[in-house]
Amino acid sequence: MFTQSLDFKTTDLNTFPFPFTSGNYRYSNDLKKLSNVNCIEVTPEYKLQVETKRRLLEEQPHIRFQSFSHTMEMQWEVLEMLIDMAADRYPEHFEVIKDGDKWTFKNHIFGETDSFVYGDASTLPNEPLDYIGRHFHNDFVLMVHRDSNFYLEVGQVSYAALFSANWNKGMSFDEIHAPVPFVSRKGDELADRVRKFLLSIEPGKPWTRINWNLMADRWDVNYETMDVWGPQRSEITPENAGKLVRLRVEEQKFYRMPRSNAILFVLNTQFLPLEDLTLRQEWFDLTYSVLQDIPGPMAEYKGIAPFLPQSVEYLRSIDEKKKAKINNK
Amino acid sequence: MYNSPVLFDKSITIVNKFTPRNERRKFVVISDQAGYDQAKSFTSEIEGTVPVECLSINGMEDKEEIKRLILSQKMGTQFYIAAAWNNAVMIFSLGVEAGLSEAEIQTVIIGPKRRYVYCMKCFEVSEVEEEAEIAECDHCKASLEIGPFYSIVREGYIGYPYIPIGKVEVGS
Ligand code: HEM
Ligand SMILES: [Zn+2]
């Protein structure tokens, strides 16, 4: 089944959110101001990613989408924001006609036209966020602000890295991050600091960060299929790591919703096989350096411990070949 | 509310022994038959310090009376529950429904605590032994490793599926 294996990678490297800026990586509050506020992006892999996402949502509805029934109004607000962004950035691909509360949304890439009554969920085939989320390749999570914390009340998650909308439903920011060995370079606890930072995010001024992981021949590694991918990780060798191990990055964006006051968490997940790192020498060098220096608890937590040494070994052999070539010149 | 506290084996309201919160204006002690002795020894320990009201119950049939007692209290009341698991859960939930926070309740459990695991294969809970590290899901028979994380919404600990050596895969 397609769910089990990954069959796409980023082909336009200019759209790949490469995660590393220095030769070693530790957890930190690495949020930065987002310069392009519009989160809608159509890449060469758009259709493939959206089709896969739709299939996952059909096949595994309980895993991929969760919500509380009281979130409808907040979901409509998200729908409106995403539709406006899409039509604004890509008028050739997306179109919206608003006749009072009678809206028509057109997705020209898929040749789809949907009419519905804004605010009336019974006029949509799915809940508002689930419906609109099926037009974009991103994951969307709505974290509702209650008592100085944020609670996961809606989640559409198709590219999980240990992220289950089902399990995390209703959890606070702190509960969600409890499994993360969240210590910074200075050794202090980060979760509290990051939560406080999120509280300060204002409407119209979104923030961004990049999360990363390695995947051993998988689309996602969720808790639901741990019995499957757990053992598979040991099949990675220095010989096959170049093709099978992908650098998986999540470009994360955080928007304060003006009406509901919730934080919309948008994820753009992209993959690059290790062998493609050589297309940009700087990316190769940084990744090689970072992967040699991953603290044990981080490697364990990320689930990469069983194939990290093979991946580093693969990069080392490439590096040596290149150096040998230079020396022979 | 979905994020209201629920009683589980590691709840912060569960204590081995009650401690008198003397800064409170009044104590309310609710016990069932199993918890009667605990309640009794606590009330005699604090006699003459803070006003106390006691209620002994039998079980579910006393739900309305418990509700009435909790709702009739003023702010600043500390609640003490001494009971076997099922009754403790009932009393605790009635308290939470009435708007009490975990800090306003102390609970002594008489006998075993119940513990549940949430299966990440079929999304159902199964009861597990207090000290168990692994379990088999009652519903889909998946082998589960019981994780340290608890969900108030799912009312169970996370159960990570794994394939024990020699067992055939149950699905993916
Ligand atoms: C508010 C929305 C957010 C949500 C819903 C969210 C959700 C998650 C989830 C589900 C995980 C995986 C937890 C697990 O292992 O079960 C995770 C991991 C993590 N999160 Fe967040 N997160 C959010 C915001 C942030 C922010 C603002 C930061 C900033 C530093 C952050 C940093 C991390 C890190 C470092 C990890 C570990 C990832 C790894 O090493 O692969 N998160 N997050
Ligand atoms: Zn099960």
Side-chain angles (χ1 to χ4, degrees), chain B residues 119 122 137 140:
Chain B
C119 174
C122 71
C137 173
C140 75

Short mmCIF file of all heavy atoms in Angstrom, two decimals, chain B residues 119 122 137 140, ligand 2:
data_model
loop_
_atom_site.label_atom_id
_atom_site.label_comp_id
_atom_site.label_asym_id
_atom_site.label_seq_id
_atom_site.Cartn_x
_atom_site.Cartn_y
_atom_site.Cartn_z
N CYS B 119 -5.09 1.81 22.90
CA CYS B 119 -4.46 1.10 21.79
C CYS B 119 -4.35 2.01 20.58
O CYS B 119 -5.35 2.54 20.10
CB CYS B 119 -5.28 -0.14 21.45
SG CYS B 119 -4.71 -1.02 19.99
N CYS B 122 -6.42 0.35 17.38
CA CYS B 122 -7.88 0.39 17.20
C CYS B 122 -8.54 1.48 18.02
O CYS B 122 -9.76 1.63 17.98
CB CYS B 122 -8.48 -0.98 17.52
SG CYS B 122 -8.47 -1.39 19.28
N CYS B 137 -4.14 -5.79 23.61
CA CYS B 137 -5.40 -5.04 23.50
C CYS B 137 -6.57 -6.01 23.57
O CYS B 137 -6.61 -7.01 22.86
CB CYS B 137 -5.42 -4.28 22.18
SG CYS B 137 -7.01 -3.50 21.86
N CYS B 140 -8.47 -5.60 19.75
CA CYS B 140 -7.91 -6.04 18.47
C CYS B 140 -6.72 -6.97 18.66
O CYS B 140 -6.12 -7.41 17.68
CB CYS B 140 -7.50 -4.84 17.62
SG CYS B 140 -5.97 -4.04 18.17
ZN ZN C 2 -6.56 -2.49 19.82
#
